Amino acid sequence: MGSLAGKPTLDIEDLRLVSPQPIGGKASSPEIAPPRSFVGPGTEDFGCKSILSIIFRSTKIALFSNKLNLLIPCGPLAILVDKLTNHHGWVFFLSLLGIIPLAERLGWATEQLAFYTGPTVGGLLNATFGNATELIISMHALKIGMIRVVQQSLLGSILSNMLLVLGCALFGGGIVHCKREQVFNKPSAAMNSGLLLMAVMGLLFPAVLHFTHTELHFGKSELALSRFSSCVMLVAYGAYIIFQLTNQKNLYNPINEEGSQTEGCSDDDEAPDMSKWESIMWLFILTSLISVLSVYLVNAIEGASVAMNIPVAFISVILLPIVGNAAEHAGAVMFAVKDKLDISLGVAIGSSTQIAMFGIPFSVVVGWIMGRPMDLNFQLFETATLVMTVLVVAFILQEGTSNYFKGLMLLLCYLIVAAGFFVHIDPESVQDRPSNHP
């Protein structure tokens, strides 16, 4: 979402992609002229030269309009290092840097498509593709049997969004608007907190069942309960989406439109940078590139852990989610500084809710299909961390107001979590055991 600021307005001779009516991000239901593909009936007169010019312009906007894209060459460099050397630490580090701009551009392409879908569907698309990086990494790790990496990276995404991203947003907004408290839509925040508590319940019971040794069928009941709970959580998330698309206007329009809580800013009205079909094309291209880099990133995790003497748990819970949430991080802080705290909460808490209620259960179901014993037992340390995080954030958001001190508290909590995972020995991961380190 960091790509919302400073976009050039699209202007190509006689081609008109949008109506003259200004568009306020995803804040209103824009009157978009019927989307027009650049390649179709009536475009023969453009000629090959015009089509190439359009492709060049689209590529320039997508890949050369953001300074963060300077990191894109790190991706091919990571592949080259992997082919020519055996330095897993460098492969992991370069892959990590290469995914950052691709994740940011993926969020940008989603926002471009959201101009043509309206605020509700656009918000859903933004949350879905905003978490696409984490889900792609998880699917690759699950495919090769790295179940703990899947569990810890998804858990880390929730912790990163709720503590780091939201903490930076509240802190930045509070510093800029230090003379008053910022306000946000309390009902929507309460609903997301309720969904997160439901996800905590789904993760807590399998862990308690395992550590109390009260399974009816040892080694089977825990997995069966996880799969059943995952199906229930997916049904709950599906019902939540239906509710969001049909009956949620009073609750969630303020997230995009700010309602009566903050003053609207017509200065932020903007038009899409490209057509609907160009946005869809870039979504597929960027998703494919992230998928390719994720293979090298996941394969290098264990070697990088040994080479850099860093626990796999710290890499999975702290480093990977920070990369996946880079775009959301920048966007949430930007909107909080502009006193649009509802949008910041929609990014941070909404993304956490989707990972908890969809990403984790979906991984369990996919593992079930693949024959992998992926379950909801995230181990005692990880589960306790998630429980405390959800409770802390729920208490901080319960008043519907924010200031810089609340953001500072969340950031300090994240530092404690990061330090905890740095010294944590994962009992399920052989690489974390001290005896294996030289």
Side-chain angles (χ1 to χ4, degrees):
M1 294 196 63
S3 59
L4 282 172
K7 295 177 183 158
T9 303
L10 181 61
D11 185 15
I12 304 179
E13 298 181 353
D14 295 328
L15 288 178
R16 202 180 193 85
L17 299 183
V18 296
S19 64
Q21 182 176 348
I23 301 171
K26 297 189 287 290
S28 60
S29 299
E31 295 283 337
I32 301 290
R36 203 167 169 186
S37 176
F38 288 120
V39 181
T43 58
E44 290 84 358
D45 55 325
F46 280 90
C48 186
K49 186 175 181 181
S50 297
I51 294 176
L52 290 176
S53 175
I54 292 169
I55 294 175
F56 174 77
R57 178 202 55 81
S58 178
T59 304
K60 181 180 178 181
I61 294 175
L63 300 182
F64 299 99
S65 62
N66 193 305
K67 293 180 180 180
L68 197 61
N69 292 342
L70 293 173
L71 294 175
I72 288 181
C74 292
L77 191 59
I79 299 175
L80 190 64
V81 171
D82 181 73
K83 298 297 182 184
L84 299 181
T85 69
N86 197 30
H87 295 158
H88 296 290
W90 279 107
V91 173
F92 175 81
F93 180 71
L94 291 172
S95 300
L96 209 62
L97 291 180
I99 286 179
I100 291 176
L102 297 179
E104 189 275 335
R105 290 286 88 183
L106 186 65
W108 167 82
T110 306
E111 289 155 10
Q112 296 301 306
L113 183 59
F115 278 106
Y116 302 93
T117 60
T120 306
V121 177
L124 181 61
L125 284 172
N126 196 30
T128 302
F129 281 95
N131 291 321
T133 304
E134 293 94 326
L135 291 175
I136 291 172
I137 292 174
S138 298
M139 291 303 103
H140 283 302
L142 189 61
K143 186 177 180 180
I144 62 177
M146 299 177 68
I147 294 176
R148 288 298 291 160
V149 171
V150 176
Q151 292 177 329
Q152 291 173 340
S153 63
L154 292 175
L155 172 72
S157 180
I158 299 174
L159 300 178
S160 174
N161 274 300
M162 296 186 71
L163 295 178
L164 180 62
V165 176
L166 183 60
C168 286
L170 298 185
F171 183 76
I175 290 294
V176 174
H177 305 279
C178 58
K179 294 183 179 180
R180 62 178 178 84
E181 284 193 326
Q182 292 181 288
V183 294
F184 55 85
N185 187 6
K186 193 161 97 173
S188 62
M191 177 172 291
N192 279 287
S193 297
L195 287 170
L196 286 168
L197 286 171
M198 180 181 177
V200 166
M201 181 185 296
L203 270 63
L204 187 62
F205 286 166
V208 171
L209 194 67
H210 174 79
F211 286 100
T212 56
H213 305 288
T214 54
E215 297 177 77
L216 180 63
H217 301 287
F218 184 76
K220 296 181 180 180
S221 297
E222 175 190 331
L223 185 59
L225 175 62
S226 297
R227 290 170 175 173
F228 176 78
S229 299
S230 296
C231 294
V232 172
M233 290 163 70
L234 288 174
V235 170
Y237 186 72
Y240 164 70
I241 290 179
I242 294 174
F243 178 74
Q244 185 179 13
L245 294 176
T246 56
N247 303 321
Q248 210 174 349
K249 291 183 180 179
N250 292 333
L251 280 177
Y252 279 81
N253 272 354
I255 288 183
N256 292 319
E257 296 175 0
E258 302 171 273
S260 60
Q261 296 179 349
T262 54
E263 299 178 0
C265 295
S266 58
D267 296 339
D268 293 332
D269 292 340
E270 52 188 304
D273 293 337
M274 56 178 58
S275 70
K276 179 173 71 172
W277 293 109
E278 282 181 296
S279 303
I280 294 174
M281 177 191 71
W282 279 109
L283 279 177
F284 280 107
I285 292 175
L286 293 167
T287 302
S288 302
L289 292 176
I290 291 174
S291 180
V292 171
L293 267 186
S294 296
V295 175
Y296 292 91
L297 181 69
V298 171
N299 290 338
I301 286 178
E302 294 182 351
S305 173
V306 175
M308 297 186 293
N309 198 24
I310 297 176
V312 173
F314 182 83
I315 293 176
S316 302
V317 177
I318 305 300
L319 296 184
L320 293 184
I322 287 178
V323 171
N325 294 328
E328 288 99 327
H329 196 161
V333 175
M334 178 188 69
F335 284 118
V337 168
K338 291 183 177 181
D339 202 18
K340 298 180 178 182
L341 203 56
D342 281 320
I343 305 180
S344 298
L345 286 173
V347 172
I349 304 299
S351 182
S352 299
T353 301
Q354 188 177 64
I355 286 291
M357 293 296 294
F358 175 77
I360 292 176
F362 180 74
S363 299
V364 173
V365 174
V366 171
W368 190 3
I369 296 172
M370 290 181 177
R372 303 288 185 186
M374 170 75 182
D375 58 19
L376 295 179
N377 177 18
F378 278 39
Q379 301 301 318
L380 188 60
F381 186 83
E382 288 84 349
T383 305
T385 303
L386 179 62
V387 171
M388 292 307 302
T389 297
V390 173
L391 290 177
V392 167
V393 173
F395 275 111
I396 283 181
L397 298 181
Q398 67 177 346
E399 294 180 352
T401 60
S402 169
N403 52 58
Y404 75 90
F405 183 68
K406 290 183 177 181
L408 181 62
M409 281 194 292
L410 294 179
L411 291 176
L412 295 177
C413 287
Y414 190 74
L415 286 179
I416 295 175
V417 169
F421 278 99
F422 190 79
V423 298
H424 173 57
I425 298 179
D426 186 1
E428 299 293 324
S429 179
V430 178
Q431 285 76 16
D432 284 346
R433 297 190 181 277
S435 58
N436 280 358
H437 290 292

